[in-house]
Amino acid sequence: MKNHRNTALKLLAIAGVLLGGMGCTLRSEPMQVKDLPSWRDTDARERIIDFVEVVTDPNSTQFVPPENRIATFDNDGTLWCEKPIPPHFFGILARFQELTQEDPDLVKQEPFTSIGEFIETQDPAALKLFIDEYHDGELLKVVGQLFGVPFANMNVDEYAEWYAQFYRDWEHPTLEKSISGLTYQPMLELLDYLRTREFQVFIFSADEGAFLKLLSNELYGIPPNQAFGSTIKTQYREGEIIRTEDGEWLDNWQGKPEMIQAHIGKRPIFAAGNSNGDFHMLEYVHLQPGPHLSVMIHHTDEEREFAYDTHTDQLLPYAKKHDYLIVDMAEDWDRVFSE
Amino acid sequence: MKNHRNTALKLLAIAGVLLGGMGCTLRSEPMQVKDLPSWRDTDARERIIDFVEVVTDPNSTQFVPPENRIATFDNDGTLWCEKPIPPHFFGILARFQELTQEDPDLVKQEPFTSIGEFIETQDPAALKLFIDEYHDGELLKVVGQLFGVPFANMNVDEYAEWYAQFYRDWEHPTLEKSISGLTYQPMLELLDYLRTREFQVFIFSADEGAFLKLLSNELYGIPPNQAFGSTIKTQYREGEIIRTEDGEWLDNWQGKPEMIQAHIGKRPIFAAGNSNGDFHMLEYVHLQPGPHLSVMIHHTDEEREFAYDTHTDQLLPYAKKHDYLIVDMAEDWDRVFSE
């Protein structure tokens, strides 16, 4: 008996070495764990699972091969909390303050005047530059003033270092969470769920892509080359990439599907967003002949997060009319934050 | 004895099922096969292997973690043959001919006049628009005229379909190869070699990115979201992405490192190119404190491919001076083409 065991153990060991040596890796996915555990047993969870099961079933007429399983997500208000202002804006405001402390005369000029007023009053109306009525020609100007001006002439390594420092000990003013604690647990689970089904997940945000790339892996396990957003013009000079103050691309509205196509070269079959800026991305997914799912995250949870319908007047009625999956955060999520 | 074997086999089978069920995958990499088999045993092959071994060795002071093992490649003249003109240009010229057959009056205007003259005479001087002396302001105009005009107002699916049709039975005029036969076998092996060492490989080409994305997987096993190039402005309209005739980005010269940073968010540690347009990409890799390798593919093989030094007057002397790896195609490659 002892001999049997010895032989068997040796063979098992040999098998282990062989498999290990040939690059065998064990997926860390635990067995028997419920999919999307922080999603309640409502229609929302069921619709996501039904969709994913159908497109990944080789026997289904709706089967989509892995290389075409593209899912794109908005970030602010979709993957993490955007209230009272998107997390990145705390960094931007701090940088504006830093600059005006160094040179107080800056407040005499825009965007420093408006930003300074906002910091003092906390009144969004002070952000004259960034309020609702954008006109076509001014959009890239806003991108430049918001993302470009505060970090102009830094090289990309200095930019990365500035943000790493700033968010190291930063905490959300009311939620008392670190930056990684602002992500939505059900959405992290959704990203994982899709990835284990061989989806490729991407972020397309109106926020600056260069900022998202610094955090996308830590926050979402999404590599920086799959996280995109608005861009600032840069200049290559002798081994360095220098930031300018000029906006180059606004990744919002029509800009989202245009950027998706330019970067991925394929139309996503799944997309999630939460406000009007995501309208065209979700519509691009919706208006295709093949299987697809457009998801709107609806902020209905006053108690655990914030309840609001700002910038949803275009998206929400369209989403209802065309049977998008509208996720009711209060109803559909058992837990909101990841930490 | 028989019993021993049975028990052992059963346990092995159980181990197999367990590992299989847990998502164990065996890498298909064959054992005992020489790395980079189409590279001769010259310094070039040795330098590549030495570099890769050092950066992937966890005990080396030059170790680079997998997430930072970024390698970027030019395409035309680096991964495949670009003579007498880059393979994509046969498609572009055919499309110009198609359009002028539909509407002969077009030849009265540029770029149809120059293109038509070139098609007739095969004289590169006819391409007035695209000859050497570009000026800053005209670069994007050239991108628009070459890549934009012939496919303006097509949606991206029609564009993809047009190229799929065109290259289905196309053959290179002198080499008698299909489009996939124009790739360099040693470079395909290099891509594979890097990938099995957990490098992420990207293409950054002056050619149009939208075209590269159609073929990158078939030609190189590179997914479309890792193949980039110059871009044309597009317009999203009700579920469709429509091409315009306007150039948006020239992915050449300084544009290469700028686009690399904007898309990947990291500096590559390895890059390969063959002409002046790659100068800044290779320099960006070269001028970093950490381990890196800049590679220039030098077209020296009159017999098996083409020998030429067009557009290398800036790159070649700099590459020599700074000890880039200069690959001598005639000396260093045992085989040139993949088919």
Side-chain angles (χ1 to χ4, degrees), chain A residues 156-308:
Chain A
V156 294
D157 298 326
E158 292 161 346
Y159 175 82
E161 183 49 32
W162 192 93
Y163 274 111
Q165 290 266 1
F166 179 78
Y167 285 108
R168 197 159 288 147
D169 304 310
W170 178 85
E171 218 176 56
H172 188 277
T174 59
L175 296 169
E176 291 171 11
K177 291 175 188 300
S178 75
I179 190 143
S180 60
L182 294 172
T183 54
Y184 301 137
Q185 179 62 23
M187 296 306 280
L188 297 188
E189 292 167 7
L190 176 55
L191 294 175
D192 274 343
Y193 177 69
L194 291 172
R195 277 186 291 237
T196 57
R197 271 74 183 172
E198 296 183 84
F199 275 73
Q200 281 185 81
V201 298
F202 294 83
I203 296 174
F204 285 85
S205 170
D207 189 10
E208 199 194 341
F211 171 75
L212 285 176
K213 287 174 193 296
L214 302 176
L215 290 169
S216 62
N217 193 40
E218 182 193 332
L219 296 177
Y220 308 116
I222 293 179
N225 67 300
Q226 291 175 210
F228 297 98
S230 298
T231 61
I232 291 297
K233 279 184 193 151
T234 61
Q235 279 175 349
Y236 175 81
R237 266 205 310 271
E238 290 172 16
E240 281 190 294
I241 309 274
I242 313 290
R243 294 174 58 90
T244 74
E245 52 182 53
D246 298 323
E248 186 177 57
W249 185 259
L250 176 70
D251 189 33
N252 213 28
W253 302 96
Q254 289 89 341
K256 288 207 183 195
E258 287 165 8
M259 195 178 205
I260 287 169
Q261 183 65 36
H263 286 36
I264 307 180
K266 290 182 178 180
R267 191 195 286 229
I269 62 169
F270 181 106
N274 74 303
S275 66
N276 293 344
D278 306 312
F279 182 91
H280 303 83
M281 173 171 77
L282 298 180
E283 186 193 54
Y284 187 46
V285 167
H286 175 67
L287 291 179
Q288 67 185 300
H292 55 265
L293 187 61
S294 291
V295 178
M296 176 183 171
I297 305 297
H298 196 198
H299 291 265
T300 52
D301 196 330
E302 182 117 50
E303 211 167 296
R304 297 180 298 180
E305 202 226 12
F306 300 94
Y308 58 96

Side-chain angles (χ1 to χ4, degrees), chain B residues 211-229:
Chain B
F211 171 75
L212 285 175
K213 287 174 194 295
L214 302 176
L215 289 169
S216 63
N217 193 41
E218 181 193 333
L219 296 178
Y220 308 116
I222 293 178
N225 65 301
Q226 290 174 213
F228 297 99

Side-chain angles (χ1 to χ4, degrees), chain B residues 79-265:
Chain B
L79 294 178
W80 72 355
C81 176
E82 64 176 350
K83 289 290 173 187
I85 50 174
H88 180 195
F89 283 49
F90 291 100
I92 291 174
L93 295 179
R95 174 66 181 163
F96 271 109
Q97 279 188 300
E98 194 174 281
L99 289 171
T100 43
Q101 271 157 16
E102 280 170 24
D103 177 4
D105 278 352
L106 284 173
V107 292
K108 292 175 191 161
Q109 70 191 63
E110 289 290 13
F112 295 89
T113 317
S114 297
I115 300 274
E117 217 175 300
F118 173 72
I119 292 171
E120 207 160 301
T121 63
Q122 297 289 311
D123 177 6
L127 293 175
K128 292 190 199 83
L129 281 168
F130 316 115
I131 48 175
D132 295 345
E133 304 305 322
Y134 296 138
H135 299 289
D136 258 6
E138 293 170 8
L139 289 171
L140 279 185
K141 201 177 146 200
V142 173
V143 170
Q145 293 196 308
L146 205 50
F147 303 136
V149 166
F151 299 97
N153 303 316
M154 272 191 185
N155 74 33
V156 294
D157 298 325
E158 292 161 346
Y159 175 81
E161 183 50 30
W162 191 93
Y163 274 111
Q165 290 265 1
F166 180 78
Y167 284 108
R168 197 160 289 148
D169 303 310
W170 178 85
E171 217 176 56
H172 188 278
T174 60
L175 296 170
E176 292 172 8
K177 292 176 187 300
S178 74
I179 190 144
S180 60
L182 295 172
T183 55
Y184 300 137
Q185 178 63 23
M187 297 306 281
L188 296 187
E189 292 167 7
L190 177 54
L191 294 174
D192 273 344
Y193 177 69
L194 292 171
R195 278 186 291 236
T196 57
R197 272 74 184 171
E198 297 182 81
F199 275 73
Q200 281 184 83
V201 297
F202 294 83
I203 295 174
F204 285 86
S205 169
D207 188 10
E208 199 194 341
F211 171 75
L212 285 175
K213 287 174 194 295
L214 302 176
L215 289 169
S216 63
N217 193 41
E218 181 193 333
L219 296 178
Y220 308 116
I222 293 178
N225 65 301
Q226 290 174 213
F228 297 99
S230 298
T231 61
I232 291 298
K233 279 184 193 150
T234 60
Q235 280 176 350
Y236 175 80
R237 266 206 311 270
E238 292 173 14
E240 281 189 293
I241 309 274
I242 312 290
R243 295 175 57 90
T244 74
E245 52 183 53
D246 298 323
E248 185 177 59
W249 185 260
L250 176 71
D251 190 32
N252 212 29
W253 302 96
Q254 289 90 342
K256 287 208 183 195
E258 288 165 8
M259 196 178 204
I260 287 169
Q261 184 64 36
H263 286 36
I264 308 180

